């Protein structure tokens, strides 16, 4: 039941600095914890997050075990033209999720 | 001599009498004790991780379950109207068992009797998601729990538990949450213990959790034996706390440190 919450302004003026906010559902298991029986709980984290705007990459970050569950990633960009933001999260155990949001620039 | 006697009498009263309840005007939600950045997380739906469970719950609301092959929506339609204000009345009186039941138990009783599905385990993703989705529909609604007169004896039992000293630390809930809510414990605000935002996302848990989980953690904290999930004592405690918060606004899904 993975899901993402995305906050991108629907409209902006050309040249405006806009904030993009993303929240992805993920347990971010560090790989350093043990069960009561002493077995290691295998690492299960998101390792990479990418944002593309109209096909070209505008933001990328690597994630590590110290990052909390349900990572909240925000960044700023300049509104240049109307188009579509595409977000991609990839991680351990074949985790791969995408989401998108559109913006109209006037 | 008379003066010393008077002091002794005052000390006796202070020692035996229960802590004074918090006056209505001084009641504060846990939200008021939080830092601005934690408040901001709760205030914005796209920053509040509790909304991930609400989204999941919306999906479950529309999904068929059990041998009856019915969805929640088949009976209750659009939760936005049918479930508005419902969570603000729970725990409520259940006629079939003659006892109060909380929202989680109501969902499971609906699952077993109407959908003929297996009940969802306490603190499972599915049960938390459905509870969060239903509670979300009451955001901003004033808490009304305890209006039903049939609940009165159970509220009284809950209050008894609330003021009962227990555990190795020999503390009652009231010792902290009525007497010392304006103080701090190990750097954290103690708060008044009004359950206005459950199920809520605790940063410490890295997850959404129920009021029963919170109560069990508190009971373990005073080094007493915690009641099992679904125990009548926990429900009575939930009931007392919700009736104590009557008139305060629902915040679910809240965020707490």
């Amino acid at each position: 039941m993975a899901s993402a919450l995305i906050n991108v302004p629907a409209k902006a003026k050309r040249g405006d600095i806009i904030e993009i906010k993303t929240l992805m559902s993920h347990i971010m298991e560090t790989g350093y914890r043990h069960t009561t029986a002493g077995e290691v709980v295998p690492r299960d984290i998101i390792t990479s997050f990418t944002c593309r705007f109209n096909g070209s990459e505008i933001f990328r970050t690597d994630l590590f075990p110290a990052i909390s569950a349900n990572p909240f990633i925000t960044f700023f960009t300049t509104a240049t033209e109307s188009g579509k933001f595409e977000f991609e999260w990839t991680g351990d155990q074949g985790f791969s999720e995408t989401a998108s949001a559109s913006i109209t620039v006037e | 001599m008379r003066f010393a006697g008077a002091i002794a009498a005052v000390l006796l009263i202070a020692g035996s009498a229960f802590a004074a309840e918090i006056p209505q005007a001084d009641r504060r939600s846990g939200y008021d004790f939080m830092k601005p950045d934690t408040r901001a997380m709760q205030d914005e739906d796209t920053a509040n991780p509790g909304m991930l469970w609400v989204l999941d719950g919306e999906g479950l609301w529309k999904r068929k379950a059990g041998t009856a092959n019915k969805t929640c929506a088949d009976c209750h339609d659009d939760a936005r109207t049918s479930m508005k204000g419902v969570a603000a009345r729970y725990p409520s009186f259940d006629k079939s068992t003659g006892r109060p039941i909380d929202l989680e138990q109501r969902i499971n009783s609906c699952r077993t009797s109407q959908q003929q599905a297996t009940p969802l385990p306490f603190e499972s993703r599915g049960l938390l998601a459905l509870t969060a989705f239903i509670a979300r529909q009451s955001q901003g609604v004033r808490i009304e729990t305890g209006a039903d007169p049939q609940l009165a004896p159970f509220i009284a039992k809950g209050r008894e538990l609330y003021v009962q000293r227990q555990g190795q630390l020999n503390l009652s809930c009231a010792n902290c949450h009525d007497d010392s809510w304006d103080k701090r414990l190990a750097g954290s605000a103690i708060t008044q213990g009004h359950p206005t935002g459950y199920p809520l996302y605790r940063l410490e848990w890295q997850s959404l959790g129920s009021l029963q989980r919170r109560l069990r953690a508190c009971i373990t904290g005073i080094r007493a034996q915690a009641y099992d999930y679904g125990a009548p004592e926990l429900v009575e405690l939930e009931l007392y706390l919700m009736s104590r918060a009557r008139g305060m606004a629902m915040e679910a899904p809240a965020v707490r440190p």
Side-chain angles (χ1 to χ4, degrees):
Chain A
M1 291 204 277
S3 47
L5 294 169
I6 307 290
N7 188 348
V8 172
K11 276 183 182 174
K13 288 201 177 74
R14 195 176 306 277
D16 274 0
I17 293 172
I18 53 168
E19 187 175 13
I20 314 285
K21 301 180 193 174
T22 68
L23 181 61
M24 171 47 80
S25 173
H26 199 284
I27 56 166
M28 295 298 279
E29 182 61 56
T30 61
Y32 296 121
R33 298 199 306 163
H34 295 76
T35 64
T36 44
E39 289 161 30
V40 174
V41 181
R43 194 185 88 163
D44 182 10
I45 63 168
I46 298 172
T47 50
S48 172
F49 167 77
T50 316
C51 174
R52 287 185 199 83
F53 182 66
N54 288 345
S56 57
E57 187 175 299
I58 59 163
F59 184 87
R60 168 190 285 277
T61 183
D62 290 336
L63 289 90
F64 297 92
I67 292 170
S68 73
N70 310 311
F72 181 56
I73 300 172
T74 80
F75 56 95
F76 294 88
T77 186
T78 308
T80 52
E81 56 179 352
S82 297
K84 194 166 148 195
F85 291 96
E86 286 170 290
F87 307 95
E88 188 180 8
W89 296 259
T90 55
D92 295 334
Q93 305 183 16
F95 182 82
S96 177
E97 285 289 328
T98 56
S100 63
S102 296
I103 187 169
T104 309
V105 174
E106 291 157 345
Chain B
M1 221 21 228
R2 257 173 64 196
F3 182 64
I7 291 176
V10 166
L11 283 175
L12 255 177
I13 290 164
S16 63
F18 296 134
E21 286 182 49
I22 300 166
Q24 294 277 314
D26 291 344
R27 288 188 309 174
R28 287 167 64 195
S29 157
Y31 180 88
D32 289 342
F33 295 83
M34 301 198 305
K35 289 179 183 160
D37 45 357
T38 322
R39 290 186 191 192
M41 259 180 104
Q42 175 175 324
D43 290 343
E44 199 185 299
D45 276 352
T46 48
N48 182 343
M51 289 306 292
L52 295 168
W53 277 260
V54 172
L55 281 182
D56 282 352
E58 190 172 9
L60 288 174
W61 183 263
K62 296 171 187 156
R63 189 181 303 165
K64 287 188 192 320
T67 47
N69 208 28
K70 279 199 286 194
T71 69
C72 305
D74 285 344
C75 293
H76 299 288
D77 286 327
D78 188 355
R80 273 168 193 82
T81 49
S82 66
M83 291 296 128
K84 189 174 167 62
V86 168
R89 296 195 288 270
Y90 270 80
S92 74
F93 190 78
D94 178 46
K95 284 191 187 69
S96 62
T97 54
R99 294 197 45 81
I101 58 169
D102 64 15
L103 194 52
E104 284 87 349
Q105 290 172 317
R106 166 59 69 208
I107 291 167
N108 268 335
S109 106
C110 224
R111 273 181 73 83
T112 48
S113 64
Q114 307 298 325
Q115 295 181 305
Q116 280 145 41
T118 47
L120 297 163
F122 284 104
E123 303 307 294
S124 62
R125 178 103 189 173
L127 185 56
L128 286 172
L130 272 172
T131 315
F133 174 64
I134 292 168
R136 172 72 170 82
Q137 312 310 323
S138 301
Q139 206 174 67
V141 174
R142 304 273 156 194
I143 294 171
E144 298 172 24
T145 305
D148 185 346
Q150 294 177 97
L151 289 170
F154 300 100
I155 296 176
K157 275 192 194 172
R159 162 125 185 109
E160 255 172 58
L161 262 175
Y162 181 81
V163 296
Q164 170 72 52
R165 283 180 182 270
Q166 53 179 323
Q168 287 180 318
L169 299 187
N170 200 29
L171 286 170
S172 73
C173 312
N175 287 143
C176 286
H177 299 289
D178 278 353
D179 299 350
S180 309
W181 58 265
D182 52 348
K183 300 186 179 72
R184 299 177 84 81
L185 184 64
S188 304
I190 289 174
T191 81
Q192 300 179 348
H194 296 299
T196 50
Y198 285 88
L200 57 73
Y201 192 90
R202 268 198 93 197
L203 301 179
E204 185 192 312
W205 292 337
Q206 301 264 296
S207 170
L208 204 76
S210 69
L211 177 53
Q212 292 206 3
R213 179 173 178 183
R214 173 68 266 190
L215 293 175
R216 280 165 50 87
C218 241
I219 294 169
T220 308
I222 55 168
R223 299 186 201 162
Q225 177 69 46
Y227 304 104
D228 291 334
Y229 280 110
E233 290 87 351
L234 280 182
V235 179
E236 283 156 12
L237 210 43
E238 283 184 273
L239 173 64
Y240 168 65
L241 289 175
M242 282 294 276
S243 69
R244 176 173 169 265
R246 207 182 302 172
M248 298 177 78
M250 288 284 289
E251 297 168 43
V255 176
R256 293 289 183 270

